[in-house]
Amino acid sequence: MTGILFDIKRFAVHDGPGIRTTVFLKGCPLKCLWCHNPESISPQPCTIEKISRIGEQTFRNDEVVGQLKSVNEVMEILEKEWIFMDESGGGVTFSGGEPLLQHEFLAELLIACKQRGMHTAVDTCGFTSSEVLLKIAPLTDLFLYDLKMMNSEKHKFCTGADNQLILENLQKLVSENYKIRIRIPVIPEINDAPENISEIILFLKSLNGQVEGVDLLPFHNTASGKYKRFEINYTMNETRKPEASVMDAIKKQFEEAGFEVKIGG
Ligand code: SF4
């Protein structure tokens, strides 16, 4: 079976425990205003005109984003990283885009990793059918589950979809005792208010089970160059990374509620 990848990152240390190789699958059902990988959203390989400037000169080159790879080809790449995963207690993280969009391909990759003894994590936005999620869950050692905000209308405005399905799916995973770390991208003036954090805490406390911990991912503006190069409209050019004091305050809110929290994942 084949699937479409848009990147593979070696030596990832923020995508789960230990040293990991992160495999980015192409395609996402959401369209977050702050997305760091806008080229990942389309599910198909696409050609993007890349513009670079040297002095007064402008150069335009076509860049293909997305490569068709078989499960065996991906496993050959992962095999070369085994020593680092094994020594560090790491593994493989499947991210995106949204990896569950290619769930059949993902399932085969997870099975192949399991057979090789590799720890697996799936980084998901949770916007998928519960059937798909519950098919993938038993093959996954750890979910990195994104929660952005509790206000559903705002969620729809910021990501293109309301959060009902995302919250329902998280409830299902937690109640079936799957291992989950919550990931919250902290975006100034979008979801960093104490009220939003309190609502997330209340929701997590209301679940019929526990999450492993919470990772706070501070927004950074490194993607703005990418939007510019690819000539994609970007509305967050003026947004800066959150102040350290804001990150610390959010961390404290979670800790006071009894959660294990990391800044940066
Ligand atoms: S869920 Fe992630 S990959 Fe998808 S649009 Fe949002 S930030 Fe981008």
Side-chain angles (χ1 to χ4, degrees), residues 28 30-32 34-35 40-41 96-97 125 148:
C28 185
L30 300 185
K31 215 172 178 186
C32 304
W34 54 84
C35 184
S40 75
I41 291 174
C125 70
K148 299 164 174 67

Short mmCIF file of all heavy atoms in Angstrom, two decimals, residues 28 30-32 34-35 40-41 96-97 125 148, ligand 1:
data_model
loop_
_atom_site.label_atom_id
_atom_site.label_comp_id
_atom_site.label_asym_id
_atom_site.label_seq_id
_atom_site.Cartn_x
_atom_site.Cartn_y
_atom_site.Cartn_z
N CYS A 28 -5.13 17.60 5.42
CA CYS A 28 -5.74 17.92 6.72
C CYS A 28 -7.16 18.43 6.47
O CYS A 28 -7.38 19.22 5.55
CB CYS A 28 -4.91 18.99 7.44
SG CYS A 28 -5.56 19.29 9.11
N LEU A 30 -8.76 20.33 8.54
CA LEU A 30 -8.90 21.66 9.12
C LEU A 30 -8.05 22.66 8.34
O LEU A 30 -7.26 22.30 7.48
CB LEU A 30 -8.46 21.66 10.60
CG LEU A 30 -9.25 20.73 11.53
CD1 LEU A 30 -8.78 20.92 12.97
CD2 LEU A 30 -10.74 20.95 11.43
N LYS A 31 -8.23 23.90 8.68
CA LYS A 31 -7.48 24.97 8.02
C LYS A 31 -7.22 26.05 9.07
O LYS A 31 -7.86 27.09 9.07
CB LYS A 31 -8.32 25.53 6.86
CG LYS A 31 -7.51 25.94 5.68
CD LYS A 31 -8.37 26.29 4.52
CE LYS A 31 -7.45 26.74 3.39
NZ LYS A 31 -8.17 27.25 2.25
N CYS A 32 -6.31 25.73 9.98
CA CYS A 32 -6.07 26.65 11.10
C CYS A 32 -5.38 27.92 10.60
O CYS A 32 -4.46 27.84 9.77
CB CYS A 32 -5.22 25.97 12.15
SG CYS A 32 -5.92 24.43 12.74
N TRP A 34 -3.22 29.62 11.96
CA TRP A 34 -1.81 29.68 12.35
C TRP A 34 -1.00 28.51 11.80
O TRP A 34 0.15 28.33 12.19
CB TRP A 34 -1.70 29.68 13.87
CG TRP A 34 -2.42 28.52 14.48
CD1 TRP A 34 -1.93 27.25 14.64
CD2 TRP A 34 -3.77 28.48 14.95
NE1 TRP A 34 -2.89 26.44 15.19
CE2 TRP A 34 -4.03 27.18 15.39
CE3 TRP A 34 -4.80 29.45 15.04
CZ2 TRP A 34 -5.28 26.80 15.93
CZ3 TRP A 34 -6.02 29.07 15.56
CH2 TRP A 34 -6.25 27.76 16.00
N CYS A 35 -1.58 27.70 10.90
CA CYS A 35 -0.92 26.45 10.48
C CYS A 35 0.53 26.71 10.03
O CYS A 35 0.79 27.58 9.20
CB CYS A 35 -1.70 25.81 9.34
SG CYS A 35 -0.99 24.22 8.86
N SER A 40 0.76 21.41 3.66
CA SER A 40 0.36 20.04 4.02
C SER A 40 -1.15 19.84 3.91
O SER A 40 -1.63 18.72 3.95
CB SER A 40 0.76 19.75 5.47
OG SER A 40 -0.12 20.43 6.37
N ILE A 41 -1.90 20.91 3.77
CA ILE A 41 -3.36 20.80 3.91
C ILE A 41 -4.01 20.04 2.74
O ILE A 41 -4.85 19.16 2.94
CB ILE A 41 -3.98 22.20 4.12
CG1 ILE A 41 -3.55 22.72 5.51
CG2 ILE A 41 -5.51 22.14 4.03
CD1 ILE A 41 -3.95 24.13 5.82
N GLY A 96 1.15 15.41 10.65
CA GLY A 96 0.67 15.87 9.35
C GLY A 96 0.84 17.38 9.26
O GLY A 96 1.70 17.95 9.93
N GLY A 97 -0.09 17.97 8.53
CA GLY A 97 -1.39 17.46 8.14
C GLY A 97 -2.09 16.70 9.26
O GLY A 97 -1.81 16.89 10.43
N CYS A 125 -5.46 15.97 15.11
CA CYS A 125 -6.35 17.08 15.47
C CYS A 125 -7.69 16.54 15.95
O CYS A 125 -8.54 17.31 16.40
CB CYS A 125 -6.54 18.02 14.29
SG CYS A 125 -7.52 17.34 12.94
N LYS A 148 -7.62 23.05 20.92
CA LYS A 148 -7.28 24.44 20.63
C LYS A 148 -8.08 25.41 21.49
O LYS A 148 -7.53 26.28 22.14
CB LYS A 148 -7.48 24.69 19.14
CG LYS A 148 -6.59 23.80 18.29
CD LYS A 148 -7.04 23.74 16.85
CE LYS A 148 -6.10 22.98 15.96
NZ LYS A 148 -6.02 21.54 16.24
S1 SF4 B 1 -4.71 20.77 12.30
FE1 SF4 B 1 -2.50 21.12 12.16
S2 SF4 B 1 -1.95 20.62 10.04
FE2 SF4 B 1 -4.19 20.86 10.12
S3 SF4 B 1 -4.52 22.99 9.52
FE3 SF4 B 1 -4.46 22.91 11.77
S4 SF4 B 1 -2.32 23.35 12.28
FE4 SF4 B 1 -2.37 22.81 10.08
#
